[in-house]
Amino acid sequence: RGWAIMEGPALLVIKPDNGKIPFPNQLHMSATSELTLSNVSNGLVAFKVKTTAPKNYLVRPSAGTIAAGATEKVQIIMQPRKDTSLDSASDRFLVRAASTTSTQPLSKSEWDAKAKHELQELKLTVQFADHEQTITRDTDV
C-alpha cells in the first residue's frame, strides 16, 4: 500500500489511499489528478488541502465542508514543467480535516484553534508515472 501517514480521528476516507498523487511524467503540459474525500463521520467535516509547492499546483477546491455521508472531489492541477528533473517528485500535500458545525470553510484562526487530537491529517507525495510503470500496465492487459 504506500506510506500514507494518517493521524487523528477518522473523519474522512481519502482516495487514492496509497499516500501518492499520480501524475504523468510529461513536459510543457498541465496535468490533473483527483483526490476523493468521503465524510465517514456523523456530522459536518471541514477540510483543507495544503502543498509544499503552491506555485506548481492549483488545488480546487482547496478548502470546504462535507456533509455526513457525502463525497467531495478535489482537483490537483500541476502546472507545466520545463525540464525532466523529478524535483517535483518531492512535492508534498497535506489534507487536514476537523469536525465543524458550520457549512462555511474554517478560517485560518479557526484551524489554528483546533487541538492536534481534533484534526485528521494525511500526508501525500507526488508520484510520476515512469517508463517501467507504463510497460507493466501494458503487459497486464
Side-chain angles (χ1 to χ4, degrees), residues 9-58:
L11 301 171
L12 297 178
V13 171
I14 301 168
K15 302 245 184 213
D17 60 2
N18 64 354
K20 304 209 180 290
I21 301 172
F23 284 102
N25 192 6
Q26 63 188 16
L27 296 178
H28 311 296
M29 295 174 65
S30 64
T32 302
S33 194
E34 191 173 80
L35 295 178
T36 302
L37 311 179
S38 300
N39 182 345
V40 294
S41 77
N42 293 324
L44 284 169
V45 172
F47 72 91
K48 181 175 190 131
V49 181
K50 299 166 77 172
T51 180
T52 57
K55 291 181 181 173
N56 296 342
Y57 301 92
L58 296 175

Side-chain angles (χ1 to χ4, degrees), residues 75-92:
Q75 286 192 330
I76 299 177
I77 304 160
M78 183 177 63
Q79 299 304 299
R81 295 185 307 143
K82 293 176 178 43
D83 62 50
T84 56
S85 76
L86 293 181
D87 290 343
S88 298
S90 64
D91 293 344
R92 295 183 310 273

Side-chain angles (χ1 to χ4, degrees), residues 76-119:
I76 299 177
I77 304 160
M78 183 177 63
Q79 299 304 299
R81 295 185 307 143
K82 293 176 178 43
D83 62 50
T84 56
S85 76
L86 293 181
D87 290 343
S88 298
S90 64
D91 293 344
R92 295 183 310 273
F93 289 83
L94 174 66
V95 180
R96 300 179 96 194
S99 293
T100 186
T101 55
S102 171
T103 57
Q104 297 301 311
L106 296 182
S107 67
K108 181 177 181 342
S109 61
E110 289 171 313
W111 279 110
D112 292 344
K114 295 283 184 186
K116 185 82 169 159
H117 71 273
E118 295 178 289
L119 298 174

Side-chain angles (χ1 to χ4, degrees), residues 117-133:
H117 71 273
E118 295 178 289
L119 298 174
Q120 177 188 5
E121 295 187 334
L122 178 66
K123 297 174 183 173
L124 303 120
T125 58
V126 169
Q127 179 180 43
F128 289 105
D130 59 19
H131 186 63
E132 274 181 32
Q133 288 172 314

